[in-house]
Structure formats: structure tokens, C-alpha cells
Amino acid sequence: MIPKDPDTEFQPHTSHWGVFSARMRDGALEVRPHPGDPDPNRIIDNFPAALRHRARIARPMVRRGWLENGPGPDSRRGSDDYVAMSWSEVLDRLGGELRRLRDGPGPQAIFGGSYGWASAGRFHHAQSQIHRFLNTACGGYVKSVNSYSSGSSQVLVPHIIGDYEDLTKRNVSWEQAAQHSEIVLAFGGMALKNSMVAGGSVSQHVERGAMERAADRGCAFVLVSPLRSDLPDEAKAEWLPVTPGSDTALMMALVHTLVAEGRHDRAFLERCTVGWPVFERYLMGETDGIAKDAAWAAPLTGVAADEIVALARRLHGRRALIVVAHALQRAEHGEQPVWMGMVLAAALGQIGLPGGGYGYALGAIAYYGRRFNAVPVPTFSQGRNGVSDFIPVARIADMLLNPGGSYRYNGQTRSYPEIKLVYWAGGNPFHHHQDLNRLRRAFARLDTLVVHELAWTATARHADVVLPCTMTLEREDIGASSNDPLLLPMRPVAAPFGEARDDYAIFADLAERLGAREAFTEGRSVRQWLEHLYEPTRQALAAMGRPAPDFAAFWAGEGIDLPQLADDGGRLRAFRDDPEGRPLPTPSGRLEIASETIAGYGEPDCPGHPTWLGPIAVPDAAAPFVLIANQPRTRLHSQFDFGGHSDGAKRRGREVASLHPEDAAQLGLAEGDVARLFNERGACLAAVRLTDGIRRGVVQLPTGAWYDPADPSEEKSLCVHGNPNVLTRDIGTSALAQGCTGQLTTVQIERYTGNLPPIQAHDPPRAA
Ligand SMILES: Nc1nc2c(c(=O)[nH]1)N[C@H]1C(S)=C(S)[C@@H](COP(=O)(O)OP(=O)(O)OC[C@H]3O[C@@H](n4cnc5c(=O)[nH]c(N)nc54)[C@H](O)[C@@H]3O)O[C@H]1N2
Ligand SMILES: Nc1nc2c(c(=O)[nH]1)N[C@H]1C(S)=C(S)[C@@H](COP(=O)(O)OP(=O)(O)OC[C@H]3O[C@@H](n4cnc5c(=O)[nH]c(N)nc54)[C@H](O)[C@@H]3O)O[C@H]1N2
Ligand SMILES: [Mo]
């Protein structure tokens, strides 16, 4: 059924986890890292086994219930079987369904947010493709705003610091950290597993080297995290194994100590911030009678009071960099540690200095802490969306379960649209969303769920129409990122799997059924689009007097080097140097330690200045462990979970949960045992790994193992594979941002003594 792939030469390619090259030899894929990459990411090793894996989708498939009964709510989604269909018939049927909705209830009944990381090429970027299709052929779609990554900081930061990218991407760089930082205090760490992944492309993984150079120069790294592995060995870090969810209290106690000892930078606070007096009264206990001092924070954080005081004194008078990982804001009240991290860096007077200040999210993803290119890189235009309605991205199940229901977001009261059809390309909600049993109930209410996928993810298994798409190695594209200096031709290495087609080709033929082929394609073939998208970069290079090869020369080569902008500290440095002349784009033009705007919204779960709102993910008798559901080391999210590098790190086919040996002993668990993790929302199995690099009372189970219910027709079936999102809570961070809270929850753990159920997540579903 699957054509034998002809041999190919090594071709340059890129992925979110790095530039590499690949070729086919005797039907097998070989990959090798980019020779210029000092620290390649082994996630590329997932490609060889993934390319022709049985989990790939070979033909268009339609769910039997949808085929027999037509569009409509159906709780069999997820347990139904599938019927193979020809491309022309499936596109006719889907075109008819899209026409029914477009010309009936209108495009506001179509949810096309389609959140997800997709693949790295600039043209076959699935979200750009689907959005352009829905805009040109359907009149638009209800979209989603913000991300699962940083749903609360993206809303908060414009109120208190200004432009989000000025904070995350044009601020403290790895070059500055290597050269100038004297102490780096990292809340949630800067794990290399995370920083080795970029969105788009990355040709050089510099993070390990930068931390090593800083440490060798004498820079101290202090890791505040329940996991020791959140900083690499090269950082030679001291480890404070903090109670999850308590960082805001620790930061407050550090600032309290600075103030109590007169070590805070009053001149900086006066010159560059607003709201300090209001916050200081709260901090010192004048407004609520509670001084947020080290003695107060010690029992909340699990860090001794004298350690907190000593740390505050060490931060003072040094080039100090405060880092707060995205993870801290992917939890209830996630706005608070982000805001308080800024206040700590401001109280130290460090914001805007080389290698100092607030490195929010530095180390979370490889596109932070780098230089921007001086020329634009190719982008595929999405067209205009005729629908203005949106939801905060992580509120999808709420939206489907409560059409017309109201919710608060960023100072507004909004209402959820009534969605009939959900269309996904390039994302996996059964990976990214929380409380998957609730998500299943939400998807059961739709008329139609459409998914383009390269493999049988749980999302594809819940869809009514499943359209097989090519994998990046099977198509031509351009690889680039706005802050990586290498622009790459991505020449195909392998033939498309089965009947898989590019998202572009699928949408072009579907647009035809809706009378919009020309609007969608502008009459261009893929190669013509690549040439068209390359042209602005070529022109900008030529205008700078740089080598600017024409497209044919670029396409035949191994990639071209792009010039980059200076590492100048961006807007925060300019503001520090001249706060009046170069104000920040906040309401006051300054850093907002207290925000009148946010105070005016009156949200109890996000008051007008950083506030300790109490512990989160509090263990109790029913769920005595805190679960950390963080990013996986061996893959990007759920992508290529079936690849060799990902699969090879599992045990007995299951995802691995890490526990402290003393906790395990109390539970009667030994290394390699299979445990059941459960709470009121669901249950999953995982293989146990023991480590003293984790705080007691905490269990860590990374995301990304595909949801694999033992009995998919059951309402709360056991996930036998280890997807932590059957356990996490589906609530927003606060009424301000409504961000994702997937990082922390509480669970009970027990030894699993039953017969081990088989893993079926990577097998295709039953086909008629
Ligand atoms: N509990 C918990 N949950 C979390 C998180 C957490 O910390 N804890 N983290 C969250 C975060 S930060 C994020 S960003 C999300 C990530 O969530 P997602 O971005 O949804 O996860 P991916 O696995 O990257 O999904 C991408 C999907 O696109 C498919 N794909 C790849 N290339 C193509 C293509 O060319 N065309 C099409 N049609 N499909 C393609 C892949 O096969 C894959 O299924 O997860 C979030 N979920
Ligand atoms: N290999 C790999 N790398 C990735 C990704 C991937 O899927 N795989 N995903 C990428 C994406 S989309 C994103 S958004 C980033 C995510 O970047 P992050 O969200 O920062 O990454 P996580 O691994 O989820 O969390 C980082 C660490 O925070 C710690 N932590 C959790 N809760 C707390 C807490 O309350 N306090 C403290 N002090 N620490 C806490 C955990 O120990 C965890 O290991 O990663 C990116 N990098
Ligand atoms: Mo993310």
C-alpha cells in the first residue's frame, strides 16, 4: 500500500527542534544534525521511525456515525469506527457541510482557532493555511487568542510592562548572561530540554554553552523549582526545592527583606515605576496586617527564613537576573508570579541593565534571548477574518459546553458563541487541553469535527472527517525564524505517505467546492508561492548590499546567512536610560507595580497589584500529591510520540512518572513499577522512576503521551499510556487572563496490580 521511497541525497531541513539534514537509503530515513550546531537536540531522532510508522494516516476517513446519521451531536466520538473514502468524495461531502454552515448560521458557527505547533516550514504552516482557507472560502471563523504557553502573561504584560515581545525576545540575551550576569535567580529554572526547542527553526543551540561560560566566570545560579533537573549541570546551581505554586510568596519575602534592610533601589523605583507606595504598604502589612517577610513565607514555600534573608542580601548590589518560567503562570493565579517577578527585578534596580533585570521566560524556548534578523523572513498571508468573535484559547470546552454563556476576560464581560463545526489543522487538543474527559463531552456536542493530521492522534480519533496530510519531510518549503540567522531551502526527502496530501492542496481543492479556489491560491503552485515568499527577503538583502541570490540559486543551495540586529537590550534598556523620552507602552508609560486599570476591573482573583492569593494545588487526603505536568524531554508536545527517541524513553510502553524514593517507599512503589495516578477527574497509568532530584510530595509526569483510554466508550476510562491531562483542571488562571492552568494539580498514587492493558494509542482505529 505504501510506496517504496526512492533513495535521496542528504537535504537540508529544519524543525522546531533544530536544523538537520536527512536522506532516504534503502527505504529507511537517516538524519544528521546541522554541522554548525554546537549542541544538537536529539528530538530529530524521532523522525526515522516516525516517517512510515503505522500511526500515520494513509487515506481520508469518515466516522461511521457521521456518515450514517449526518452532522449532529454524538457521544460515540472517540469510540466509533471509520470508513475510508476517496479524496473527491470526502471533499464533496465536507464542502457541502461547510456551505450549509457558511450560508446558514454563518461563519460565526465555525471555530477555526486550530491552536497548535504544527511544523516548522514557513509556507506549509498549518495554522496560516487553515486560517487563510476559512477567511477566503467561508467568510472567516471564530478564533482563539493567546497561547497555552503564556496565556496569563500575554494579557498581563501589556498592562504592566508593555509589549510582550520586548520583554521576552528583545531583552536579556544569552550573550549578555554569559558576559555580565553575576547572579541568576531562576524560578522554574531554564531546563535545556525546553530551551532546545524553538517555534520555527533554530540552527544553533547556545543555551548550555552560555550558562557554562557564565558559571565559569563566577556567576551564581540559584534554582527555585521542585525539580533539580530544571537547570543543567553546567550551571552548577544551588537548588531550592520550593513548594509548587508558592513562588509569589518567596519573591515577596525577598523584596520585604530588601525594603526592611534599606537595600531596595529607591531611585529606580521612583524614576521608572508607578504604584510602589501602594504595593509597599501591602508588602509591609500596613493594609492587611500581614508583613510578607521571610518568617511568613518560610512555611508557605518550604524555604527556611534565614535562607530567604541570605538570598535577598546576595541579590543586592550584584548584576542580578530574575527569570520566571512560563510554567509558573500556567497555573491558577498565574498572573501573580509574573507580576511579582517584575517587582523583584525593579526593587533590585536591575531592569534594563546588560545581563540584569527581568528575563521572563528566558530558557523556556530557543527563540528567547537571541538577536533578531535585520531582514524579514517569509510569511504566508492569512487574509481577512470577517468574524470578530474570539475566545481565550484554553476556554474551548467552556465555549462548547456553554453556548451563549458569559465570562470575564481582560476587563470585559463576553459571551460564548454557538459553534456547530470545529476545524483543526496543526494542533492536538487531546494533547494540549486539560480535563480530557470534559473535552470529550464538549466535542460530543458538535455537529461536525474536521481534522487534518499526519497521524492517528486522539483528536483525529474523535473527528468526523479525518484528512491525511504530509509530514514536513515529504514536501518543499522554506525554513526560517525571525531570530535565527539561517534561511534554508527545505527540499523533500521522501514521497508522501499513502494518499496523504499537503494541507495547501487539500484546502485548494476544498476552496474550489466553495467557489474560492482562485482567492485561496492566487493561482500559484507551491513552488511559485515559495518564490513569492522569498522575494521580500531577497530584496531586503539586496537593499543592504548583501549577497542576495535569486530564488533558483537559493533553492539549489544549503541555506543563506541573514544579517542580524545589535543585541542592545531593546525597549527596556532605552526606557531605563531615558524614562521620559522613551516611555513604555503602558498606561503610565512606566513599569506598573500597581495598575489602576487592573484594579478598575475589580476581579477578586487578580487585584490591582501583586497579591498573595493563597496556596494553589493544595494536597488533601483524597489527593495528597502535587502533580507537575510539564514539557516532555524526548519530543515536542505530542509530536512523534511514536518516534524512536520518545518511545525509547518510556518503560513498559508507558510514560514515566518521577517520585522521591521516600514517597515511593510509603506507597510501596519500587523503580519500574506501574502506578495508577488518579483524582476526581480521571486516572492514568505511568511507570515509576525514583529520584532524589524532586521535592517530596511532588510527582512529575510530562505531557505528550497520547491519550489511550482502556475503553473509549466509557465516560472516564483509565488512560493506560500516561497522559496527565486526564487529571488536570480545566479552569482559567483568573478572570483577567483566562489562561491555561495545566501545569499543577493534585493526585493520589497507588501501585497498579491488575494485568497491564496494551497500549493502542499508536495503532490506527478500526476501519470498515
Ligand atoms: N497539562 C499540561 N498541558 C499542556 C501544557 C502543560 O505544561 N501542561 N503545555 C501547553 C503548551 S505550552 C502548549 S504550546 C500546548 C501544545 O499543544 P499542541 O501545539 O496542540 O501540541 P502538538 O503535539 O505540537 O500538536 C501539533 C499537532 O500538529 C500535527 N502536525 C504537525 N505538522 C502538521 C502539518 O503540517 N499539518 C497538519 N495538519 N498537522 C500537523 C502534529 O502531528 C500534532 O498532532 O500544550 C499545552 N498543554
Ligand atoms: N523538549 C521540549 N521542549 C519544549 C516543549 C516540549 O514540548 N518539549 N514545549 C515548548 C513550549 S510550547 C513551551 S511554552 C515551553 C514551556 O516552558 P515552561 O512552561 O517553562 O516548561 P515546563 O517544562 O512546563 O516547566 C518548567 C519547569 O517549571 C517547574 N515548575 C512547575 N511549577 C512550578 C512552580 O509552581 N514553581 C516553580 N518554581 N517551578 C515550577 C517544573 O519543575 C518544570 O520542569 O517549552 C518549550 N520547550
Ligand atoms: Mo507552549
Side-chain angles (χ1 to χ4, degrees), residues 117 119 330 428 432 452-453 475 503 629 631 638-639 725 742:
W117 268 57
S119 287
R330 204 174 303 113
N428 185 2
H432 61 238
H452 293 196
E453 251 300 345
R475 60 198 184 207
D503 292 297
Q631 315 303 313
S638 68
Q639 300 199 28
N725 275 328

Side-chain angles (χ1 to χ4, degrees), residues 286-366:
E286 287 161 34
T287 39
D288 63 357
I290 301 167
K292 315 303 177 295
D293 60 12
W296 166 81
L300 297 171
T301 59
V303 183
D306 55 352
E307 274 190 81
I308 299 176
V309 171
L311 179 58
R313 291 178 185 156
R314 282 173 69 200
L315 289 168
H316 171 72
R318 292 198 165 78
R319 185 59 54 85
L321 177 61
I322 307 301
V323 174
V324 170
H326 278 327
L328 272 70
Q329 52 87 66
R330 204 174 303 113
E332 216 180 322
H333 305 148
E335 296 78 11
Q336 302 309 316
V338 178
W339 202 343
M340 194 56 214
M342 183 271 271
V343 175
L344 172 56
L348 291 165
Q350 295 283 303
I351 293 178
L353 292 173
Y358 193 26
Y360 171 73
L362 185 68
I365 305 186

Side-chain angles (χ1 to χ4, degrees), residues 666-717:
Q666 284 191 356
L667 292 163
L669 280 166
E671 178 84 20
D673 280 353
V674 171
R676 191 172 80 100
L677 280 63
F678 59 100
N679 61 22
E680 56 187 315
R681 286 171 294 282
C684 70
L685 300 184
V688 171
R689 165 184 167 259
L690 305 184
T691 171
D692 63 3
I694 191 167
R695 182 182 169 80
R696 280 208 63 183
V698 175
V699 55
Q700 178 253 346
L701 178 64
T703 53
W706 287 7
Y707 172 67
D708 194 352
D711 177 358
S713 63
E714 239 178 59
E715 233 213 88
K716 275 193 193 177
S717 182

Side-chain angles (χ1 to χ4, degrees), residues 115 117 147-150 326 330 365 631 637:
Y115 181 81
W117 268 57
S147 64
Y148 278 78
S149 314
S150 51
H326 278 327
R330 204 174 303 113
I365 305 186
Q631 315 303 313
H637 309 134

Side-chain angles (χ1 to χ4, degrees), residues 6 10 28 32 161 171 206 224 230 281 299-300 327-328 381 508 521 538 618 648 655 757 764:
F10 273 106
R32 61 180 189 202
I161 300 173
N171 180 10
V206 300
V224 179
D230 282 336
R281 283 197 294 280
L300 297 171
L328 272 70
S381 156
T521 65
R538 194 199 61 75
V618 186
E655 191 44 86

